């Protein structure tokens, strides 16, 4: 990354991070490797350990919300922790063991220590619906149960007989935990970037999001920024609901934001618009995707999916979309042991990082300006803004577009949309025009 | 049809009539068979007999508007009645006779009793422009004339010589007649469904419309409805103009409506939007057609066509579109003896009936609601609205869509449009959410 | 052209000029032939001679703006005149001579009289980048220089040795010159049609524009017009800037206008919208192009191109688009000796003339009317507006469209757009309806 203040006096902008993306992708991948084995759920010590690892990358503040706290229509559930979970076959062989994979235990399983025939045990065994070799990911947060997840091929090989079963878990009053990193900017207006921290060993969905936010926060923390940035890691659904309920006073200052998930898989970038659909963040992401020139998809808001459901509920209605690679539940490895460290790759994480850098750059640099010389074109030549008489490069076109539409009604994003020029060219033209006083704030 | 109050306490809605469509189609067809032979025009006793048959199905109130009455820019014309009309050939054979087909006499023919050579008679004989075997339908309401319509093949076979000609008609002061059926609902707001009653033996255009309204009215009359419904049968153009001129005080309470014609032919459903283009009725019909899943067409308003010209004149501007199968003058049998009882079929009438039932159901159930728990999603599980943790059926999607967009700005139609879910699913979700107080009227 | 007052009492309208287009095309071409050889620049006597020729066709008022005058952000440059310019080869042969082509001298060349080797001279010789046989057109208005333009084939044949070089020019205080023709109409609102007068022997770009305005002005000057028309010939960029700076008080009365250039080449008509995009002039041109039925193109405004950049600068923002055949710099002969009298053809000039006549006709006849009989349709038959009972010609459709949409909100252009009927049919229907008092001004 370039120094914040460059030699020429110009300030580094988030768009400069595009050139740091490969390095950032490697850092994110290494953090994913560390986070992957931890047994997370919507509460518990696995989450706290996770936040400690994140805290080494970017400083976070942890909040505990006690069991029983009312948060809007919900009540914070009991805290769950699991120490061991295994099944021993009639011959004493340990056929399922939490130590092999966090996925083996049904999330929020109540404790059990029993001996029972396979026929009875079967009702507590869950397999993947499609693939005999994969362990599925299953939970039962709001309906008490216990169980194990395992490969159908393992299950099919189990002989009849009596099995020893152990889940050493506690489901008791405690708290859920969320973490925030806050980067103050010049303005009190904030950009909120949120991800969910409740999934155990699922590398793309959503260990990638947890690690991505940490590294993005670290890089941004060295820049002088216009807006303040808040990164939020919290358990899915109950996490954003708790955070929103406790931070209602903050909401008016949230200019916009993104829900960041599934950032390392092989798919192209996918953006799901905010409920507003035409918020600045929606337009910024659309232009960032366009300017990057790679395959991508933009989808309208639907009230199904991830945590954007809470941020975009009608009484909250934040300008927050979801920017991911393949959305959760659309890649075949979703919610199974195949969502592992092979699925996420540093170069794809880097690509996602570069896209977030572009988006943040646009949000940081966007604005409405007023042409101080609005009658006729100003003479660019005498200000050294025309390299030659004639010509007509895209740089000169950018100058003319910015001058023509800077009447106070059009922001730079609109100018980038209308001109079909890259946002960085438009923003660069605006910088040059401000330097010679041809633009002032609108 | 289900009972109005169902066992479970839920009220029958017009959408339930979809399951009665086959039976209704048969009833409509039988009424068409009775109405088809009557000699109707824009006035006269054939119309009154027609309304008596309609009255046996659904009670109607008949209004007579006297000749000479000024109605907006028009004056009600004289009343026309015809008792017999025939041509006898030189050898005494009756070659044309009103008793064979109402179409044989030019509508509004003045009386004549004369003997004349074929050459002179020819000027009063009208044939079909394209098909030698069809009798055309012709009228001369506003220019006095007499004449006969016959097949070109009949005409070509006539020998030269002296013919006896008789039209025993009267064109004299009297009145035009229209009929209304009124079904009061909970609200004084009305839905107006109109058709024209002036055509003689033309089964699709528009005996089908006359019979359709009668049977639709009969079925709706047994339901407890939100809006009041008014069915209007009147002669084309002069009928709606007369009704509008005499009922101007009613117009503000007309929420919307449909002109119903040509409901039994082989074509798919066609909707011509109201002049407003985006009225609730326009959106309701579009969604009903979409949800039915069959081929159909939606066209913008044009000030050409049928009685919607009057309802959508600029000083009236009711939210009325025209919902038909093949629009008049676009099917080859139009205005000829081929528009007969073979052309209209019970199953097509049933299909049209089902579509009207869908539309009325949407209008009845549409509305704006307000989510009482707008911050974050409400917890559906504790209210028994989630069948399982996880899942994701369209029923659950409908609940989330309704909750998300019920901010007072979006009606259920909008939610059906945006979600691409069937209106009945959306309305059903709204019902369930109201039952547990998650929605209140906006 | 028809007489202004036709026999039947109806007034000739600009649309009638379509039938004069062939004759007008010939007149424009003959004027181009006279104007083509003159050596024009952004100032100087060649421009004044040009305006004298224009003045013979339509009376113009000439304005001189002195060197040094501040016009918005610009300062009027010195005046340039050139008397002779030539190069003599070592053997005394005159290898380049202004008398052969105005293009041979670099525009705004400073004077020089010198003897120098070919190697030194080369730095002042400009050739066409693509075609060895063409003389390019080059200028250096704002950077002092001298030079010659010649064919690369000529240059390649020059032997080494000492050359005599002469440019007998003056670059001195003086003025730039623009010309206006003003045709007063009933209204003080004006239509402004502008073209640039600064190019030497380039027949299409833009001698065609200079001549086109003269002949169009001549034809319009014989008509009784609703709006006033102002034709402006001025040097590119500095001309409109000067005119705008000196006529700011006029701008509020400019209803709209066109920049007219490149009107004789083989391409189809191309319209570049005004910055407003939906101004009456934009909609009028779109309908004129549609009604003409020939291939054409409509493009959104971009702040690159010709003098529309000044008229559409944000502080001016006139409703002015650019209506041309192939836009400058998109035809291969652009800015070279191939843009000559062969490139422009009378029939293409005639086609352009007819299109301008259509546009002006639409602007002149457009308006908002109010149907005096808005409830139901008025009875057209009793007013002789229906040729027969029945029927349904486009003339009758036009009557119904005008009646239906004349509620004060829709102008005739909108009705032409919505009905897909020709504007002349719509305007003709409005004329007939006004005659029988069915329309009054809105």
């Amino acid at each position: 990354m370039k120094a914040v203040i460059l030699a020429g006096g110009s300030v580094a902008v988030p768009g400069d991070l595009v050139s740091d993306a490969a390095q950032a992708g490697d850092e994110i991948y290494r953090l994913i490797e560390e986070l992957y084995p931890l047994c997370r759920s919507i509460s518990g010590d696995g989450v706290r350990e996770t936040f400690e690892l994140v805290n080494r990358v970017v400083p976070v503040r942890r909040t505990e919300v006690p069991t029983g706290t009312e948060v809007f229509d919900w009540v914070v559930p009991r805290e769950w922790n699991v120490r061991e979970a295994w099944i021993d076959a009639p011959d004493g062989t340990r056929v399922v063991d939490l130590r092999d994979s966090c996925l083996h235990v049904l999330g929020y399983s109540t404790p059990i220590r029993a001996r029972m025939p396979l026929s009875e045990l079967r009702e507590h065994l869950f397999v993947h619906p499609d693939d005999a070799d994969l362990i599925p990911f299953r939970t039962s947060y709001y309906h008490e149960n216990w169980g194990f997840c395992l490969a159908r091929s393992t299950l099919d090989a189990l002989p009849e007989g009596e099995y020893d079963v152990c889940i050493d878990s506690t489901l008791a009053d405690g708290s859920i935990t969320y973490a925030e990193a806050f980067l103050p900017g010049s303005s009190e207006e904030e950009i909120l970037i949120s991800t969910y921290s409740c999934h155990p060993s699922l590398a793309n969905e959503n260990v990638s999001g947890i690690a991505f936010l940490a590294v993005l926060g670290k890089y941004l923390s060295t820049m002088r920024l216009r807006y303040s940035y808040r990164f939020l890691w919290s358990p899915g659904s109950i996490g954003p609901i708790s955070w929103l309920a406790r931070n209602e006073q903050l909401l008016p200052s949230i200019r916009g934001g993104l829900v960041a998930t599934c950032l390392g898989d092989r798919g192209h970038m996918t953006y799901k618009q905010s409920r507003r659909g035409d918020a600045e963040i929606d337009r910024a992401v659309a232009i960032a995707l366009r300017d990057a020139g790679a395959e991508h998809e933009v989808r309208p808001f639907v009230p199904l999916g991830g945590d954007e459901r809470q941020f975009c509920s009608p009484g909250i209605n934040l300008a927050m979309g979801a920017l991911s690679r393949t959305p959760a539940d659309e890649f075949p490895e979703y919610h199974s042991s195949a969502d592992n460290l092979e699925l996420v790759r540093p170069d794809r994480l880097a690509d996602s990082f570069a896209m977030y850098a572009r988006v943040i750059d646009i949000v940081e640099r966007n604005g409405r300006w007023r042409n101080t010389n609005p009658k006729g074109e100003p003479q660019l030549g005498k200000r050294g803004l025309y390299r030659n008489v004639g010509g007509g490069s895209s740089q000169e076109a950018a100058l003319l577009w910015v001058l023509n539409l800077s009447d106070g009604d059009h922001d730079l994003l609109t100018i980038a949309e209308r001109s079909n020029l890259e946002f960085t060219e438009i923003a660069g033209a605006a910088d040059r025009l401000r330097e010679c006083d041809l633009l002032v704030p609108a």
Side-chain angles (χ1 to χ4, degrees), chain A residues 393-440:
Chain A
S393 68
S394 72
Q395 219 170 84
E396 283 154 15
L399 292 168
L400 295 177
W401 272 104
V402 172
L403 285 167
N404 192 275
L405 291 181
S406 287
D407 53 8
D409 287 338
H410 304 92
D411 63 4
L412 297 183
L413 258 173
T414 302
I415 301 174
E417 290 162 358
R418 294 262 297 263
S419 66
N420 212 21
L421 294 171
E422 287 198 17
F423 181 86
T424 52
E425 289 191 289
I426 293 297
D431 289 345
R432 287 194 296 285
L433 292 167
R434 284 157 60 195
E435 282 163 20
C436 55
D437 299 322
L438 281 170
L439 289 187
V440 292

Side-chain angles (χ1 to χ4, degrees), chain A residues 146-366:
Chain A
W146 63 266
F148 293 88
C149 299
L150 70 169
R152 180 182 298 276
S153 55
T154 306
L155 175 58
D156 289 348
L158 295 184
E160 293 301 322
E162 293 291 306
Y163 284 73
D164 275 311
V165 171
C166 166
I167 299 179
D168 176 13
S169 67
T170 45
L171 184 56
D173 283 359
S175 57
I176 64 165
T177 315
Y178 61 73
E180 289 167 273
F182 183 74
L183 311 181
S186 308
S187 162
E188 292 192 357
E189 279 196 288
E190 294 188 12
I191 307 297
L192 173 60
I193 303 183
S194 176
T195 200
Y196 48 102
S197 52
C198 49
H199 281 185
S201 303
L202 298 167
N204 191 46
E205 195 258 357
N206 184 34
V207 178
S208 74
I210 302 172
F212 187 89
L213 257 62
V215 174
L216 181 60
K218 175 191 140 185
Y219 275 80
L220 285 179
S221 68
T222 65
M223 308 192 94
R224 189 189 298 165
L225 295 165
R226 176 180 175 190
Y227 295 116
S228 299
Y229 285 76
R230 185 181 301 271
F231 295 87
L232 173 64
W233 297 258
S234 76
S237 297
I238 190 68
I241 287 171
S242 300
W243 186 87
L244 288 165
R246 296 161 65 98
N247 291 281
E248 281 201 71
Q249 81 294 347
L250 262 184
L251 305 187
S253 56
I254 295 181
R255 187 175 178 85
L258 293 170
V259 172
T261 71
C262 301
L263 294 151
D265 63 272
R266 74 186 73 80
H268 57 61
M269 297 301 295
T270 302
Y271 181 60
K272 173 180 169 181
Q273 294 174 327
S274 79
R275 183 175 183 273
R276 302 182 184 185
D278 61 352
E280 183 184 52
I281 188 72
D282 298 314
R283 298 165 55 231
V285 175
I287 288 296
L289 291 166
R290 181 199 75 174
D291 287 357
E295 198 186 351
H296 64 268
E297 190 183 345
V298 175
R299 304 176 176 185
F301 177 76
V302 300
L304 315 168
D307 285 340
E308 62 277 10
R309 288 156 67 167
Q310 312 310 327
F311 295 116
C312 296
S313 55
I316 302 294
N317 205 23
L318 288 178
M320 287 182 70
L323 181 56
S324 63
R325 300 189 79 80
T326 308
D329 86 4
E330 297 183 21
F331 58 95
E333 299 85 353
Y334 171 72
H335 274 201
S336 81
S337 51
D339 183 356
N340 58 28
L341 292 169
E342 312 285 299
L343 181 63
V344 297
R345 296 265 49 96
D347 61 328
R348 298 167 193 158
L349 293 160
D351 183 67
S352 303
F353 184 89
M355 191 60 67
Y356 270 75
R358 282 178 182 272
V359 171
I360 293 170
D361 189 51
I362 292 174
V363 170
E364 285 282 309
R365 299 174 81 186
N366 189 33

